[in-house]
Short mmCIF file of all heavy atoms in Angstrom, two decimals:
data_model
loop_
_atom_site.label_atom_id
_atom_site.label_comp_id
_atom_site.label_asym_id
_atom_site.label_seq_id
_atom_site.Cartn_x
_atom_site.Cartn_y
_atom_site.Cartn_z
N GLY A 337 22.83 -17.95 -1.08
CA GLY A 337 21.78 -17.25 -0.44
C GLY A 337 22.06 -15.69 -0.17
O GLY A 337 23.24 -15.26 -0.30
N ARG A 338 21.01 -15.12 0.23
CA ARG A 338 21.29 -13.61 0.58
C ARG A 338 21.40 -13.56 2.13
O ARG A 338 20.45 -13.87 2.85
CB ARG A 338 20.00 -12.91 0.14
CG ARG A 338 20.03 -11.46 0.44
CD ARG A 338 18.92 -10.72 -0.21
NE ARG A 338 18.69 -9.41 0.13
CZ ARG A 338 17.87 -9.02 1.07
NH1 ARG A 338 17.09 -9.79 1.70
NH2 ARG A 338 17.89 -7.75 1.43
N MET A 339 22.55 -13.27 2.57
CA MET A 339 22.91 -13.48 3.88
C MET A 339 23.97 -12.32 4.37
O MET A 339 25.02 -12.21 3.69
CB MET A 339 23.37 -14.76 4.28
CG MET A 339 23.94 -15.02 5.60
SD MET A 339 24.65 -16.79 5.74
CE MET A 339 26.36 -16.22 5.99
N SER A 340 23.78 -11.63 5.41
CA SER A 340 24.74 -10.74 5.93
C SER A 340 24.89 -11.05 7.41
O SER A 340 23.96 -11.00 8.14
CB SER A 340 24.36 -9.25 5.80
OG SER A 340 24.15 -8.96 4.44
N GLU A 341 26.11 -11.33 7.77
CA GLU A 341 26.36 -11.54 9.27
C GLU A 341 27.78 -11.43 9.64
O GLU A 341 28.77 -11.38 8.85
CB GLU A 341 25.98 -13.05 9.57
CG GLU A 341 26.92 -14.01 8.86
CD GLU A 341 26.71 -15.51 9.35
OE1 GLU A 341 25.63 -15.88 9.76
OE2 GLU A 341 27.71 -16.11 9.55
N ILE A 342 27.97 -11.17 10.88
CA ILE A 342 29.25 -10.96 11.59
C ILE A 342 29.27 -12.20 12.56
O ILE A 342 28.41 -12.37 13.33
CB ILE A 342 29.45 -9.71 12.40
CG1 ILE A 342 29.20 -8.48 11.37
CG2 ILE A 342 30.77 -9.65 13.12
CD1 ILE A 342 28.89 -7.23 12.11
N ALA A 343 30.38 -13.09 12.43
CA ALA A 343 30.48 -14.13 13.31
C ALA A 343 31.73 -14.01 14.17
O ALA A 343 32.83 -14.01 13.48
CB ALA A 343 30.46 -15.45 12.55
N VAL A 344 31.55 -13.95 15.45
CA VAL A 344 32.76 -13.82 16.34
C VAL A 344 33.00 -15.21 16.85
O VAL A 344 32.19 -15.83 17.57
CB VAL A 344 32.51 -12.89 17.44
CG1 VAL A 344 33.73 -12.75 18.47
CG2 VAL A 344 32.01 -11.51 16.89
N VAL A 345 34.05 -15.94 16.40
CA VAL A 345 34.28 -17.29 16.71
C VAL A 345 35.31 -17.33 17.97
O VAL A 345 36.48 -16.82 17.77
CB VAL A 345 34.77 -18.04 15.57
CG1 VAL A 345 35.04 -19.62 15.90
CG2 VAL A 345 33.89 -17.99 14.43
N PHE A 346 34.94 -17.84 19.01
CA PHE A 346 35.84 -17.87 20.25
C PHE A 346 36.78 -19.05 20.20
O PHE A 346 36.58 -20.01 19.48
CB PHE A 346 34.81 -17.80 21.47
CG PHE A 346 34.15 -16.57 21.79
CD1 PHE A 346 32.88 -16.34 21.16
CD2 PHE A 346 34.80 -15.40 22.34
CE1 PHE A 346 32.21 -15.11 21.34
CE2 PHE A 346 34.17 -14.25 22.53
CZ PHE A 346 32.90 -14.07 22.01
N LYS A 347 37.83 -18.96 21.07
CA LYS A 347 38.71 -20.02 21.02
C LYS A 347 38.12 -21.24 21.85
O LYS A 347 37.13 -21.15 22.57
CB LYS A 347 40.03 -19.58 21.80
CG LYS A 347 40.73 -18.49 20.97
CD LYS A 347 42.08 -18.10 21.44
CE LYS A 347 42.83 -17.22 20.55
NZ LYS A 347 44.00 -16.52 21.11
N GLU A 348 38.82 -22.31 21.55
CA GLU A 348 38.38 -23.62 22.24
C GLU A 348 38.72 -23.43 23.82
O GLU A 348 39.74 -22.77 24.03
CB GLU A 348 39.10 -24.71 21.61
CG GLU A 348 38.56 -25.11 20.26
CD GLU A 348 39.19 -26.41 19.71
OE1 GLU A 348 39.84 -27.05 20.37
OE2 GLU A 348 38.98 -26.57 18.50
N PRO A 349 37.99 -24.26 24.55
CA PRO A 349 38.46 -24.20 26.09
C PRO A 349 39.83 -24.67 26.15
O PRO A 349 40.27 -25.52 25.40
CB PRO A 349 37.38 -25.20 26.63
CG PRO A 349 36.32 -25.40 25.61
CD PRO A 349 36.89 -25.16 24.27
N PRO A 350 40.53 -24.13 27.11
CA PRO A 350 42.02 -24.40 27.12
C PRO A 350 42.33 -25.81 27.48
O PRO A 350 43.42 -26.43 27.19
CB PRO A 350 42.50 -23.50 28.30
CG PRO A 350 41.35 -22.96 28.97
CD PRO A 350 40.14 -23.16 28.14
#
Side-chain angles (χ1 to χ4, degrees):
R338 181 167 170 264
M339 172 185 114
S340 301
E341 64 165 42
I342 300 161
V344 180
V345 181
F346 291 93
K347 290 188 173 165
E348 288 184 12

